[in-house]
Amino acid sequence: MNRELLITHASQLVTLAGPARTRVGAEMRELAIIKDGAVLARDGVIVAVGATSEVEPQAAVDALHLDAGSSVVMPGFVDAHTHPVFAGTREDEYEMRAAGMTYQQIAASGGGIRSTVRRTRAASEDELFELGKIRAGWLLGHGTTTVEAKSGYGLTVDDELKILRVIRRLNDETALELIPTFLGAHEIPDEYRNKREDYIRLVIDEMLPRVAAEGLARYCDVFCESHVFTVNDSRRVLTRAKELGFGIRLHAEQLSLSGGASLAAELGAASADHLEWVDQAGIEALRQAGVIAILLPGAVFNLGLTRYAPARAMIDAGLGVALATDFNPGSSPTPSMQMILSIACTQMRMTPAEVITAATINGACSLGCEARLGSIESGKQADIVMHDCSDYRQIPYFFGVNHAVVVIKSGEVVVDTRGDASTASR
Amino acid sequence: MNRELLITHASQLVTLAGPARTRVGAEMRELAIIKDGAVLARDGVIVAVGATSEVEPQAAVDALHLDAGSSVVMPGFVDAHTHPVFAGTREDEYEMRAAGMTYQQIAASGGGIRSTVRRTRAASEDELFELGKIRAGWLLGHGTTTVEAKSGYGLTVDDELKILRVIRRLNDETALELIPTFLGAHEIPDEYRNKREDYIRLVIDEMLPRVAAEGLARYCDVFCESHVFTVNDSRRVLTRAKELGFGIRLHAEQLSLSGGASLAAELGAASADHLEWVDQAGIEALRQAGVIAILLPGAVFNLGLTRYAPARAMIDAGLGVALATDFNPGSSPTPSMQMILSIACTQMRMTPAEVITAATINGACSLGCEARLGSIESGKQADIVMHDCSDYRQIPYFFGVNHAVVVIKSGEVVVDTRGDASTASR
C-alpha cells in the first residue's frame, strides 16, 4: 500500500523514542510522550512524529486519516515469548488445579505439555494453521503486532517441522508478525521416557540440522529445569544450535534454581525467560553478558503460585527486562499483553512506564528487531496501537479489559473496533 | 417489545436450574448444563428451555433468532458489589503503589477514597450520569446484566443523594439494571476528621431518613474497619437503617479481623463483603444467620496483597458464596466479572463451576432477586449472555479476555459484537 497513514490527536503519543538498544534502570521509566501527538507513515514506515499541529500539514491530501479522539497511541506490543501453535485446550487441568492438584502432579499423570503434544501430533498442518489464525487474530485484537513463536508440541522431527511451517504460514498469511523459535527440547516425549539420551541426540543430530536447512527458525530454546533438560543437556543442545547459526533463548529458573541463568550468560543468549527462582548472582551474570530477562508473570498468576520473578532487583541492578504472555494452553492461556502489564504492576511492583518499555522496545531488543520495532520514531515500521483511554497508566490500571481499539501493522489498519465514523479520508 | 427471542445451538446452555435460593457446598458445582441447548423468551421472560430440537419448534415464525454458533450461553452476571458512580480515575495512586506505597499510606496522605470524594462532589449530576453511562456500557459489554451500586463518594447529604439519583437514572435510562445501596458510612470526610461522632449522627439523623423518604436505596452498607467505622459505629448506623426498612450489607474483615462478620450475623445482613481476614467462628456465624459472603478478590489482586478470603473453607462449611468485582477507581478498577472468575479459580482455588454459581444465582440471592434473576429457567427474566467459547470453563481459563459477544437484558439484545450475519429473523 502506498497511501499515507496519518494519526492525529493522541492524548498521549507514547513514542519510546531513544537509543535502539535495551533500556535499563531509570531508562525504563522514560516513555518520551508527546501530548496531542501525531504520526505520519508512508509505505508502512514512520516518516514524521510530533505534535498534531506540526505533523498534520506534512500529510498528503489523500492520506488515510485516523483521529485518535484523545486516546493513547503507542507502539504495538512485542510479545517475546509465546507458544501459539497447538491443538486442544486444557481447561480440564485448570479445573484439576482449582481442586488442589499441582502443575507437576498433573504433568506426572500424563497431562501437561505431553497432553498437548498428543493432540498436536494428531492434527494436520492445515488444522493447526486454522487454529493459529484464530489466535493470531486474538493477539492482534489485544494490541500485539509481533510475537516470538515457539514450536515444542511436536517432539518428533516431522511434527516439529510441521509446527514451524505453520508459524511461517501464519507470518506470511496473517497480519501478525511471528519470529520463529525451535523448541524441540521442550519436554521428553512419552516414547523416550526411558531413553532420554536418545531424544537429546534426536534433537541435536536430526531436528536442529533439518530446521536450519529449511530456514524455519531464527532462535533455539530449551526448557532448562532439573526434571526436564538439565544444564548439561541444555548446553549440548544450545551449543550445537549456535554452531548452526541460531540465536539462543532459554527457559530458565522457572520452578527451581537450577543454573539456567548462568548458562544463558555463558552462551551469550538473547534472552533468559521466566527466572522466578533466579538469585542475585544469576541476575549479575545475565547483566554482564547482556542477556535480556523475559518475565512471564501470567504463568505464575495462572498457576496460582506466589513467587514472581524479582523484577525490582533486576531493574535496580541494571538488567534489561522484557515482559511476555507465555501464551500457551497450560500455564498461561492469555493472549493479552495488557493483562500481563496489570499483573506486573500489581504483583511485581513494576511501574506503568516500566511495563510499557518491557512490553515494546525491550521485547524487540530480545528479538534483534530494535532497529525496526518497539518505538514510534521516524524510520521505524508503523506498528501502532490506539488504546481507548486518556493516560497510558490506565492500560494496566483498568485491568481485565481490552483497551486496544485500532491496530496498525506496517502502516495498514488490521483491527478497528471503532466503526466507520472514526476513520475517514481527509 | 413483544417479539419472541429464540437462542439455539448453545454448545453448553449453562442454566443453573435449581432451587431459587443460595446454592451451598456441592450445589455450587451443579450447573445443570444442556448440550446443544436453546432458550425461548417472550415479553422479556423465559418461556422454554431445553434441547434445540425441543425448543425451536415452539417459537413463533417471526421470533428473533440468534444462533449461538456453538458458543456457551449462560445467565448474565449479577455483580453484587460495585461503586460505579464517581468522578476521576486514580492511576496516579496505582503508580505510587507500584513504587512501593501501601493503600493505607496513600489514604493517610489524602489519597484513596477521599480523593475520589473531592472530585465527585465537584461533579454535577449530569456529569456523573455521563460517566456512569460509559461504565454501564462497559459492564454490559463484559456480560454483566445486573449490578448492586453503592453511593459513598459524596459524604454530604446532597452529594450522597446526587449519586443515588444518578444510579436511579442509570437504571432507568440504560440497559443495565442497578440495585441501589446507600453507603454514606464509606469514610469519614475530611471536614469531619476531628468530629467523627458528628458525621455518624449526620448519617443516622439526616442522610438515612432522606434516602428512605426519596426511596433512593434498597440497602444500606457500612465500611466496618477499626480505623474507619468500628463495629459499634456500624451497629448504630445499620440498626437505624433496618428500622427505616433498608436491607443490610457490610464491608467486613477486609484489612483486619475486626468483628464485622459477627455484626453481619447479628443484624441478619443480606451480605458480608470482602472477608479476607474472617476466621472460622465468623464463617460459622455467617452460615447460621444465612448471610451470603461476597468475595472481592479483584481488590486483593489489584492492591498486590496476598491474603485472599478463605473461599474453600467457606464452601466446605456450607456458607453461601458470591463473587463481585468491587468495581471502583481505587482498589479494584475492573468492570469484568470474567476477570474476577479467573482470579477466584487461580488464587482462591474455587472451581470453574463454583465461580459461575457465585457470579450468577448466588449474587442474585444476595440482592433478593433469586426469583427473577441468576438462572435460565422458565418464568425468569431473559438476562442471557453468549460467550465465544465452547466450554464454560474456558471463560476463566482464557484469562484477561472478554468472551462475551452477545448480551441480552429482559429479552432485548443490548450488545452484539458478532455483526449482522449471525443475527437473523427466522
Side-chain angles (χ1 to χ4, degrees):
Chain A
M1 88 151 208
N2 295 312
R3 195 174 172 194
E4 286 186 354
L5 175 76
L6 172 67
I7 301 169
T8 59
H9 300 299
S11 63
Q12 296 181 333
L13 178 67
V14 180
T15 67
L16 290 118
R21 58 160 173 76
T22 311
R23 311 290 167 84
V24 298
E27 292 173 346
M28 291 187 70
R29 298 185 283 277
E30 300 300 326
L31 300 184
I33 292 171
I34 300 171
K35 287 187 185 170
D36 191 10
V39 190
L40 180 65
R42 197 174 294 143
D43 300 328
V45 175
I46 295 166
V47 294
V49 179
T52 295
S53 58
E54 295 164 10
V55 174
E56 195 167 14
Q58 303 176 45
V61 287
D62 67 342
L64 178 69
H65 180 191
L66 300 180
D67 188 321
S70 297
S71 63
V72 170
V73 173
M74 55 171 279
F77 291 119
V78 178
D79 185 349
H81 185 132
T82 81
H83 307 251
V85 177
F86 56 85
T89 51
R90 302 216 310 259
E91 62 271 18
D92 53 343
E93 296 179 6
Y94 184 85
E95 188 172 32
M96 288 178 210
R97 283 200 304 275
M101 284 180 79
T102 67
Y103 188 71
Q104 289 92 324
Q105 286 170 333
I106 291 167
S109 68
I113 292 170
R114 289 147 69 201
S115 128
T116 296
V117 168
R118 287 192 292 277
R119 289 185 276 186
T120 304
R121 286 179 177 177
S124 71
E125 187 178 317
D126 284 344
E127 288 166 347
L128 290 173
F129 177 70
E130 292 303 321
L131 289 168
K133 268 209 299 196
I134 294 169
R135 295 174 198 143
W138 228 8
L139 289 155
L140 284 166
H142 287 82
T144 297
T145 45
T146 300
V147 301
E148 183 259 15
K150 301 177 196 295
S151 69
Y153 293 119
L155 311 188
T156 67
V157 175
D158 287 347
D159 290 307
E160 285 295 304
L161 292 172
K162 175 177 72 178
I163 293 168
L164 289 169
R165 288 190 194 107
V166 170
I167 292 170
R168 182 159 64 187
R169 278 181 68 189
L170 290 169
N171 182 64
D172 293 346
E173 300 178 36
T174 75
L176 184 68
E177 178 173 346
L178 295 93
I179 294 171
T181 293
F182 167 66
L183 178 58
H186 192 197
E187 174 60 289
I188 304 285
D190 287 345
E191 65 274 19
Y192 283 92
R193 283 275 128 178
N194 298 316
K195 36 182 186 173
R196 293 171 39 85
E197 175 59 21
D198 290 0
Y199 186 69
I200 294 167
R201 291 244 61 92
L202 182 73
V203 171
I204 292 173
D205 295 340
E206 298 191 45
M207 292 186 189
L208 271 173
R210 284 287 296 277
V211 173
E214 295 197 30
L216 281 167
R218 195 177 303 174
Y219 291 94
C220 178
D221 189 352
V222 171
F223 187 14
C224 178
E225 194 70 46
S226 52
H227 66 288
V228 192
F229 296 94
T230 65
V231 167
N232 283 334
D233 298 337
S234 304
R235 183 185 287 109
R236 290 167 60 203
V237 172
L238 295 172
T239 300
R240 181 73 185 120
K242 276 184 78 167
E243 291 166 5
L244 290 166
F246 294 98
I248 302 302
R249 317 182 85 79
L250 202 50
H251 282 67
E253 327 287 22
Q254 179 182 5
L255 303 170
S256 63
L257 181 63
S258 48
S262 300
L263 180 63
E266 171 192 326
L267 296 174
S271 72
D273 301 36
H274 278 295
L275 298 172
E276 286 83 355
W277 288 78
V278 76
D279 59 8
Q280 200 63 36
I283 291 173
E284 188 53 31
L286 293 172
R287 189 194 64 77
Q288 285 186 13
V291 182
I292 295 180
I294 300 186
L295 309 187
L296 309 167
V300 181
F301 168 79
N302 185 62
L303 294 176
L305 305 175
T306 52
R307 187 181 180 116
Y308 287 86
R312 284 253 60 85
M314 292 173 175
I315 293 170
D316 292 348
L319 174 60
V321 169
L323 285 164
T325 59
D326 195 11
F327 179 54
N328 77 73
S331 58
S332 192
T334 185
S336 171
M337 285 293 280
Q338 298 168 68
M339 181 76 245
I340 300 303
L341 304 193
S342 295
I343 299 173
C345 287
T346 58
Q347 311 303 304
M348 300 200 300
R349 300 288 181 207
M350 291 174 69
T351 69
E354 288 169 345
V355 299
I356 297 276
T357 301
T360 54
I361 185 70
N362 278 7
C365 288
S366 84
L367 293 165
C369 298
E370 64 274 18
R372 184 170 57 86
L373 304 177
S375 65
I376 297 180
E377 299 178 85
S378 287
K380 284 212 170 178
Q381 191 168 302
D383 290 6
I384 298 170
V385 178
M386 223 178 263
H387 290 272
D388 188 18
C389 51
S390 57
D391 185 303
Y392 75 90
R393 297 174 298 183
Q394 292 176 358
I395 297 172
Y397 164 79
F398 282 120
F399 66 105
V401 168
N402 180 12
H403 300 272
V405 287
V406 176
V407 180
I408 293 153
K409 180 67 182 175
S410 297
E412 297 209 45
V413 177
V414 295
V415 173
D416 187 352
T417 65
R418 306 191 306 170
D420 294 334
S422 54
T423 306
S425 292
R426 294 177 78 210
Chain B
M1 93 149 207
N2 295 312
R3 197 172 171 195
E4 285 185 356
L5 176 75
L6 173 67
I7 300 169
T8 59
H9 301 299
S11 64
Q12 297 180 333
L13 178 67
V14 180
T15 68
L16 290 118
R21 58 159 176 73
T22 312
R23 310 291 167 80
V24 297
E27 292 173 346
M28 291 188 70
R29 297 186 283 277
E30 301 299 327
L31 300 184
I33 292 171
I34 300 171
K35 287 187 185 169
D36 192 12
V39 191
L40 181 64
R42 196 175 295 143
D43 299 328
V45 175
I46 295 167
V47 294
V49 179
T52 295
S53 58
E54 295 163 9
V55 173
E56 194 167 15
Q58 301 176 46
V61 288
D62 67 342
L64 178 69
H65 181 190
L66 300 181
D67 188 321
S70 296
S71 64
V72 169
V73 174
M74 57 172 277
F77 292 118
V78 178
D79 185 349
H81 184 131
T82 80
H83 306 251
V85 177
F86 56 86
T89 52
R90 303 219 306 259
E91 62 270 18
D92 53 343
E93 295 180 8
Y94 185 84
E95 187 172 33
M96 289 178 208
R97 284 200 304 277
M101 284 181 80
T102 67
Y103 189 69
Q104 289 94 324
Q105 287 170 332
I106 292 167
S109 68
I113 291 169
R114 290 148 67 203
S115 129
T116 295
V117 167
R118 285 191 293 276
R119 288 184 277 186
T120 304
R121 287 178 177 177
S124 70
E125 188 178 315
D126 284 345
E127 287 166 347
L128 291 172
F129 177 71
E130 292 304 321
L131 290 167
K133 268 210 299 195
I134 294 168
R135 295 173 198 145
W138 228 9
L139 289 155
L140 284 166
H142 287 82
T144 297
T145 45
T146 300
V147 302
E148 184 259 13
K150 303 179 196 294
S151 68
Y153 292 120
L155 309 189
T156 68
V157 174
D158 287 346
D159 289 308
E160 285 295 305
L161 293 172
K162 174 177 73 176
I163 293 169
L164 289 169
R165 288 190 195 109
V166 170
I167 292 171
R168 181 158 66 186
R169 277 181 69 188
L170 291 169
N171 182 64
D172 293 345
E173 299 179 35
T174 75
L176 183 67
E177 179 175 345
L178 295 93
I179 295 172
T181 294
F182 167 66
L183 179 57
H186 192 197
E187 175 60 287
I188 304 284
D190 287 344
E191 65 274 19
Y192 284 92
R193 283 275 129 179
N194 298 317
K195 36 184 187 171
R196 290 170 42 86
E197 175 60 23
D198 290 358
Y199 186 69
I200 294 168
R201 291 245 60 93
L202 182 72
V203 171
I204 292 174
D205 295 339
E206 297 192 45
M207 292 187 190
L208 271 173
R210 284 286 298 277
V211 173
E214 294 197 30
L216 280 169
R218 196 177 303 173
Y219 292 95
C220 177
D221 189 352
V222 171
F223 188 14
C224 178
E225 195 71 47
S226 52
H227 65 287
V228 193
F229 296 94
T230 66
V231 167
N232 283 336
D233 297 337
S234 303
R235 184 185 287 108
R236 289 167 60 203
V237 172
L238 294 172
T239 299
R240 180 73 185 122
K242 276 184 80 168
E243 291 166 4
L244 290 166
F246 293 97
I248 301 302
R249 316 182 84 79
L250 203 50
H251 282 66
E253 327 285 23
Q254 178 182 5
L255 301 170
S256 64
L257 180 64
S258 48
S262 300
L263 179 64
E266 170 192 325
L267 296 173
S271 73
D273 302 35
H274 278 294
L275 298 170
E276 286 83 355
W277 287 79
V278 75
D279 59 8
Q280 200 62 37
I283 291 174
E284 188 53 28
L286 293 172
R287 189 194 65 76
Q288 286 185 14
V291 181
I292 294 179
I294 299 185
L295 309 187
L296 308 167
V300 182
F301 167 80
N302 185 62
L303 294 177
L305 305 175
T306 53
R307 186 180 182 120
Y308 287 87
R312 284 253 61 84
M314 292 173 176
I315 293 170
D316 293 347
L319 174 60
V321 169
L323 286 165
T325 58
D326 195 12
F327 178 55
N328 77 72
S331 58
S332 191
T334 184
S336 173
M337 284 294 279
Q338 299 167 68
M339 181 75 246
I340 299 303
L341 304 192
S342 295
I343 299 173
C345 286
T346 58
Q347 311 304 306
M348 301 201 298
R349 299 291 182 206
M350 291 175 70
T351 69
E354 288 169 344
V355 299
I356 296 277
T357 302
T360 54
I361 185 71
N362 278 8
C365 289
S366 84
L367 294 165
C369 300
E370 63 273 19
R372 183 169 60 85
L373 304 177
S375 65
I376 297 180
E377 298 179 85
S378 287
K380 284 213 170 178
Q381 189 167 304
D383 290 6
I384 298 170
V385 177
M386 224 177 263
H387 290 272
D388 188 19
C389 52
S390 57
D391 184 303
Y392 76 89
R393 296 174 299 184
Q394 292 176 358
I395 297 172
Y397 164 77
F398 282 120
F399 66 105
V401 169
N402 180 14
H403 299 273
V405 287
V406 176
V407 179
I408 293 153
K409 180 66 183 177
S410 298
E412 295 209 47
V413 177
V414 295
V415 174
D416 187 352
T417 65
R418 306 191 307 170
D420 295 334
S422 54
T423 306
S425 294
R426 294 176 77 212

